[in-house]
Amino acid sequence: MFNLLKQRFSISHDCVSISCTDRKGISVQKPEFVLKPRKKDFAAMPKIPLWDLPELPKNELPLHLQLQKTRVFCNNDAPTHTENIHYSGAYASMGIDNSLRLDEFKKNFKVKVIKLNEDDMEFDLIGIDASIANAFRRILISELPTMAIEKVLVANSSSVVQDEVLAHRLGLIPIKVDPRLFDYMSENDVPNEKNCIVFKLHFKNPRGSGERCTVYSHDLKWLPFGSEYVLPTENSNASDPNSKPKTYTSFTSSQDSLPEFSTNPITVTPGIIISKLGPGQEIELEAHACKGLGKTHAKWSPVATAWYRMLPEVILLKDIEDDDAEELVKKCPVNVFDIEDIAKGRKRATVGRPRACTLCRECIREPGWEEKVALRRVKDHFIFTIESTGALPPEVLFTEAVQILEDKCERVITEMS
């Protein structure tokens, strides 16, 4: 075989000849390829009079362009039309204004709550761009404040868990308290009842027990009066019996005397394993929690996860009956399709649960099925899921995220005006 370095085409009226040279410069003539006349191709096409062509709707996009604008086509090989068209003059040649208008946004924007419980929330955001949905996601993860353990004072720890690892595990335990009731604490601030929460952990496994004991998060006890550990000062006031020893916090009042905590004491999420102690081992420590943001450390993130996906759209392009219907139902791993009985004992496939579709494309992976089933995603319809760690309910978290985004927009408008 020749290693072709360059080619030259010679085109006549009805044929093409190719001449080429190999590495030694020897010219080689290849056979001619005859081109079919194009007149036959045009003759095969039906002739449609101009007045029989369908009229385009006024101020509306044709159906294929509307689908390309609002849907992502999930084909067997790769998705197409994934981009969003924001340019106001994208369809100017058709007399259509593509600019964003506030009245249309208000008309199309909707929020529908699908599922809501103490820890989880699933809702639909309809009529917004992916950038707005992603802004809510980022704010929920990194910009909503919570309370988390920041400082651990270890008095005694004979367990196999190192003090650094123990402090890290304590910091990741969610604290069930409203962070809006506390202030941020800077490096120069003194811990007090307005910016700090103190917990105590003292657990000992007796030496003669013969069994291992598990230390859980609910073994942490809230200290509403602040720290009980005395500061190691040089000038001790032990000679004065009336003086109060100085501790690591400066609480002027008890936290349980405040109306917010008098009937609702501060607790942590129970059932989380902190450590395991063998016979004779002991843990005694104090944990101080303060207010922070998730972008500083993940322990301050109020959500276990916050994510969204575009609404899937499953369409049957033609009737799928009998054996093909049963095959289609078996293809889907999440049971999107159902079978209904039609006349004379025949069966037909239907789309029963399109929302459950994960777009794995198993239903269109084999040849021929792309002509029967179409998979799409709606570009402006997002299924949003929030899983709270327990500090705040998920509906409160989303409300706070909306408020933070609103404050950011107001700051931008103020700086630009």
Side-chain angles (χ1 to χ4, degrees), residues 17 36 54-55 80 118 150 153-155 178 206 220 226 228 232 245 268 284 287 297 334 341 370 401 405:
S17 63
K36 295 181 180 180
E55 294 183 0
T80 57
E118 185 179 356
E150 172 67 5
L153 306 176
V154 181
D178 192 345
L220 287 166
E228 296 178 349
V268 299
E284 183 180 2
H297 194 281
V334 292
D341 294 329
E370 275 191 298
L405 184 59

Side-chain angles (χ1 to χ4, degrees), residues 55-127:
E55 294 183 0
L56 293 176
K58 295 182 180 180
N59 299 325
E60 292 182 7
L61 288 174
L63 179 60
H64 68 286
L65 291 181
Q66 185 68 22
L67 289 176
Q68 292 177 11
K69 179 184 176 183
T70 60
R71 301 293 189 271
V72 175
F73 290 75
C74 300
N75 302 323
N76 188 14
D77 51 353
T80 57
H81 306 296
T82 58
E83 69 281 352
N84 288 325
I85 302 175
H86 298 295
Y87 175 48
S88 59
Y91 308 107
S93 60
M94 302 180 183
I96 299 175
D97 184 13
N98 194 48
S99 59
L100 178 63
R101 290 184 291 272
L102 183 59
D103 54 348
E104 288 190 3
F105 175 78
K106 291 181 178 179
K107 180 181 177 181
N108 298 328
F109 178 68
K110 298 177 182 178
V111 179
K112 294 182 178 180
V113 179
I114 306 300
K115 182 182 70 173
L116 177 61
N117 54 40
E118 185 179 356
D119 297 323
D120 303 338
M121 180 181 181
E122 181 180 314
F123 57 95
D124 289 2
L125 290 175
I126 306 172

Side-chain angles (χ1 to χ4, degrees), residues 210-357:
E211 297 180 355
R212 298 178 63 87
C213 295
T214 303
V215 184
Y216 291 97
S217 56
H218 52 259
D219 294 322
L220 287 166
K221 306 302 179 183
W222 174 42
L223 299 180
F225 291 94
S227 176
E228 296 178 349
Y229 289 175
V230 179
L231 283 173
T233 55
E234 294 183 0
N235 299 324
S236 176
N237 295 327
S239 58
D240 188 359
N242 296 325
S243 64
K244 183 179 179 180
K246 189 175 181 180
T247 62
Y248 285 89
T249 58
S250 298
F251 281 28
T252 57
S253 62
S254 175
Q255 288 179 332
D256 57 2
S257 64
L258 301 176
E260 297 87 357
F261 309 123
S262 58
T263 59
N264 187 22
I266 300 175
T267 59
V268 299
T269 302
I272 301 176
I273 298 177
I274 298 177
S275 178
K276 291 188 177 183
L277 302 180
Q281 294 181 344
E282 180 182 5
I283 292 180
E284 183 180 2
L285 56 84
E286 264 190 9
H288 296 194
C290 62
K291 188 175 180 179
L293 299 175
K295 61 184 178 182
T296 304
H297 194 281
K299 65 183 178 183
W300 279 299
S301 181
V303 295
T305 181
W307 60 283
Y308 62 88
R309 62 188 179 103
M310 287 184 284
L311 178 71
E313 190 177 68
V314 184
I315 299 175
L316 299 180
L317 302 178
K318 58 179 67 174
D319 290 340
I320 302 176
E321 300 177 354
D322 301 333
D323 294 340
D324 289 343
E326 294 181 357
E327 182 181 355
L328 180 62
V329 172
K330 293 179 181 179
K331 284 176 179 289
C332 183
V334 292
N335 299 324
V336 171
F337 302 99
D338 287 336
I339 293 180
E340 65 177 4
D341 294 329
I342 56 179
K344 298 181 181 180
R346 303 187 63 184
K347 301 178 180 179
R348 181 172 59 191
T350 59
V351 181
R353 290 163 293 276
R355 190 183 182 91
C357 180

Side-chain angles (χ1 to χ4, degrees), residues 192-207:
N192 54 56
E193 68 277 6
K194 292 294 184 180
N195 57 19
C196 182
I197 303 174
V198 181
F199 294 96
K200 179 181 179 180
L201 176 62
H202 189 190
F203 197 97
K204 183 177 181 180
N205 188 8
R207 185 174 297 275

Side-chain angles (χ1 to χ4, degrees), residues 174-194:
I175 301 175
K176 293 185 175 182
V177 64
D178 192 345
R180 296 171 293 184
L181 302 175
F182 292 87
D183 301 330
Y184 287 99
M185 183 172 60
S186 64
E187 296 180 356
N188 299 326
D189 291 338
V190 178
N192 54 56
E193 68 277 6
K194 292 294 184 180

